[in-house]
Amino acid sequence: MADKPLISLIRKFLKSGVMEGGLASPTAQGAPQGGPLSPVLSNIYLDQFDWMLEGRGLKFVRHADDCNIYMKSRRAAERVMQSSARFLEGELKLKVNREKSRVGSPLKLKFLGFSLWKIGDRSGIRPHEKSLRRFKDKVILITKRNRGRSVTSILIELKRYVRGWLGYYRLASLSARLRDLDGWIRSRIRMYIWKQWKRVRTRFANLRRLGQGKVQAWKWANTRKGYWRTAHSQILSMTLTNQHLEGLGLLNMSKLYRELAS
């Protein structure tokens, strides 16, 4: 028996249109990308695909229209990919994106931002290298030296992004990677602060305020090292310490990860 309220709700979603440049436009076909309806319809419609894979005894994982099927050999994987495409296009009348469909090692391919790792008898999940690259690109964008914003506002924006990213990847094996990322982010923030202390006198005054003696502070304030080298030098590691940066509001990813994992 048809679920009339559900069908009515789906129809309203499909006819609601999309916003383009602040103006509502009607949709002639398909579901708006990024909307809540798309994964719901995928799960409803692809049930038959799941049953087919289960009936063949295949191991797979699917999220909406993104699916991984695991085989023991490349030859078997290629055969299953072809038969799966025939089923989706022939039985379900869907169009398979051949460019995105591929056969490869689950240790290298990306699924929902993750990939697998295996060392000896141990295995687990980790963020894919592309996901880590996007993370670092976003942090670089937030901490660009020419943004002209206060350190406080930068750290608030950074904390918001890092919390969301780590909340998503908290199930992955991240301890070693986060130690490196924490150190790299601290260097980005030190570089940002040093850039704000443009003048020698400003640098001298701030280094003195952070506990350095006159002679050492004046010597460091006059350094000719570049911003990135200075961020990794004693000049800032002994003044803008890890504890000081956390006091300013810098989130420690390793600590948050342990909290989320527990």
Side-chain angles (χ1 to χ4, degrees):
M1 183 177 178
D3 189 330
K4 291 183 179 180
L6 178 59
I7 293 174
S8 175
L9 181 61
I10 291 174
R11 182 179 292 110
K12 289 177 181 178
F13 265 112
L14 292 174
K15 291 187 174 182
S16 63
V18 295
M19 293 292 291
E20 295 178 335
L23 299 175
S25 302
T27 49
Q29 61 180 4
Q33 189 173 6
L37 183 62
S38 183
V40 172
L41 291 180
S42 294
N43 286 331
I44 293 173
Y45 198 71
L46 289 174
D47 260 357
Q48 296 177 63
F49 182 57
D50 295 344
W51 297 336
M52 185 274 290
L53 295 177
E54 289 173 356
R56 294 178 61 183
L58 300 176
K59 298 183 183 297
F60 68 97
V61 56
R62 182 178 64 78
H63 177 80
D65 61 347
D66 199 352
C67 182
N68 273 10
I69 305 172
Y70 301 101
M71 307 300 298
K72 290 184 178 181
S73 70
R74 185 178 187 89
R75 186 176 179 180
E78 290 174 346
R79 186 170 61 249
V80 167
M81 186 174 74
Q82 294 301 322
S83 63
S84 296
R86 284 196 301 270
F87 179 85
L88 291 168
E89 294 179 336
E91 297 293 327
L92 300 184
K93 309 304 179 184
L94 297 172
K95 184 177 181 180
V96 176
N97 189 327
R98 301 283 178 168
E99 292 182 1
K100 290 186 177 180
S101 301
R102 65 188 66 183
V103 171
S105 168
L107 303 180
K108 296 179 180 180
L109 295 181
K110 179 167 67 74
F111 180 66
L112 303 178
F114 293 89
S115 61
L116 302 179
W117 62 265
K118 189 176 188 302
I119 301 176
D121 295 331
R122 297 170 59 240
S123 60
I125 58 175
R126 60 182 176 85
H128 192 270
E129 288 302 317
K130 288 184 178 179
S131 302
L132 290 168
R133 182 66 259 174
R134 280 198 296 270
F135 172 81
K136 296 187 79 170
D137 287 344
K138 179 65 175 180
V139 172
I140 289 172
L141 182 63
I142 293 173
T143 59
K144 283 186 70 172
R145 300 196 310 264
N146 60 358
R147 294 194 71 191
R149 299 174 60 193
S150 69
V151 175
T152 301
S153 63
I154 290 293
L155 292 178
I156 290 173
E157 184 180 354
L158 184 61
K159 180 183 291 187
R160 187 182 301 119
Y161 174 68
V162 167
R163 277 187 178 278
W165 189 87
L166 202 54
Y168 182 77
Y169 288 103
R170 68 185 184 279
L171 298 178
S173 303
L174 277 172
S175 297
R177 179 72 74 169
L178 289 183
R179 285 194 294 271
D180 294 337
L181 287 175
D182 272 328
W184 176 75
I185 290 175
R186 283 193 291 265
S187 295
R188 294 286 310 176
I189 298 302
R190 286 178 178 130
M191 183 174 65
Y192 191 89
I193 293 173
W194 187 250
K195 173 68 174 179
Q196 288 193 325
W197 300 348
K198 290 182 179 181
R199 301 176 185 276
V200 172
R201 291 187 179 278
T202 304
R203 292 173 179 173
F204 173 74
N206 281 301
L207 290 172
R208 288 284 289 144
R209 181 175 56 82
L210 291 169
Q212 292 304 307
K214 284 186 177 181
V215 175
Q216 190 64 56
W218 186 251
K219 176 183 176 183
W220 282 353
N222 283 276
T223 183
R224 295 190 177 185
K225 292 180 180 178
Y227 294 115
W228 190 240
R229 284 190 62 196
T230 304
H232 289 83
S233 70
Q234 278 189 319
I235 298 173
L236 297 184
S237 63
M238 292 180 64
T239 51
L240 296 175
T241 63
N242 297 354
Q243 293 76 15
H244 180 80
L245 293 179
E246 287 187 36
L248 293 177
L250 179 62
L251 189 67
N252 186 305
M253 294 181 70
S254 298
K255 289 182 180 178
L256 179 59
Y257 175 66
R258 289 194 294 270
E259 292 174 7
L260 293 172
S262 63

